[in-house]
Amino acid sequence: MAGSAGWHVLRALAVTVGLALAAGGVSAVSGEATTAPLRDVALQIERKGVGDPSFFERAERRSGTVLDAPGCSRDLVRSAATLRVARLETAAVQAQDATEAIAAADRTLRAALACRPIDGNLWLRLAVVAVARDGFTPAAEDLLRRSIRLAPAEDWIMAARVRFLGALVESGILEAEALFASEAETYMRRARVYEIVALYAAAGPAARAAQEAMWAALGEDRMSRIQRQAEIDGVYRTP
């Protein structure tokens, strides 16, 4: 990784990819002949994960050139982005050299955005790739802000942004704190109690402390319900 964020930040890819698949995955994509091979690969990633890095070599051979030029089909774009970002995630988790995986994900996402420039999820994924390559630079922040502008109220994308920004804060990247606070507060005012607790459970100590401070701003009743659910889930103890 070229930037200063480190491998522990790059591993936040797992958070972002996982949420994107959960709500915007490929389970319902079409079965057309041009889509099916790539769709099948993406479904395997979505349902089972990937443990063997050689999986991606086989998958890319099977998928052919469509990964670098997925066109404008929503199905192909989602499937191609899933495969390429999951490849980068795997490289991060296994502490491999991610240079090639970063370049491949960047190619796929930029080609997809050429056809789908208002897709806030794609801009978020491109921001994650930018952070993986260079750290949290002004350019990476601009990509995140584009995602916010284009998908300001889609809860599953908001949750992914908050969790990724929280991982950056956890790693000590002070420049991400203001954006994290703004997005987290907005999300908490919209989200259900169990979603807020899930966000808290997935966070590290620094991001958890920041979220606890935000709970009070939601009102005493809502804060009490959040605390109670977090205690039930075993991730929080009321002071």
Side-chain angles (χ1 to χ4, degrees), residues 9 12-16 18-20 22 124 156-170 180 183-184 187 195 198-204 207 211:
V9 175
L13 283 162
V15 169
T16 311
L19 276 172
L124 169 60
W156 64 278
I157 300 178
M158 290 179 69
R161 282 196 301 259
V162 172
R163 291 178 70 174
F164 183 64
L165 284 163
L168 298 181
V169 169
E170 201 65 43
F180 167 71
E183 274 292 276
Y187 177 73
E195 292 172 327
L199 186 72
Y200 179 83
Q211 290 177 52

Side-chain angles (χ1 to χ4, degrees), residues 3 60 68 80 106-107 143 147 179 208 211 213 222 231:
E60 296 209 3
D68 284 338
D106 187 83
R107 285 196 305 273
L143 295 173
S147 175
L179 195 55
R208 283 190 178 189
Q211 290 177 52
R222 187 162 170 81
E231 285 187 308

Side-chain angles (χ1 to χ4, degrees), residues 54-74:
S54 66
F55 167 88
F56 293 103
E57 296 176 12
R58 299 191 301 272
E60 296 209 3
R61 285 198 302 269
R62 182 181 180 190
S63 302
T65 58
V66 71
L67 285 172
D68 284 338
C72 296
S73 162
R74 179 179 68 99

Side-chain angles (χ1 to χ4, degrees), residues 91-105:
V93 170
Q94 299 186 1
Q96 302 167 350
D97 182 358
T99 303
E100 184 180 345
I102 288 170

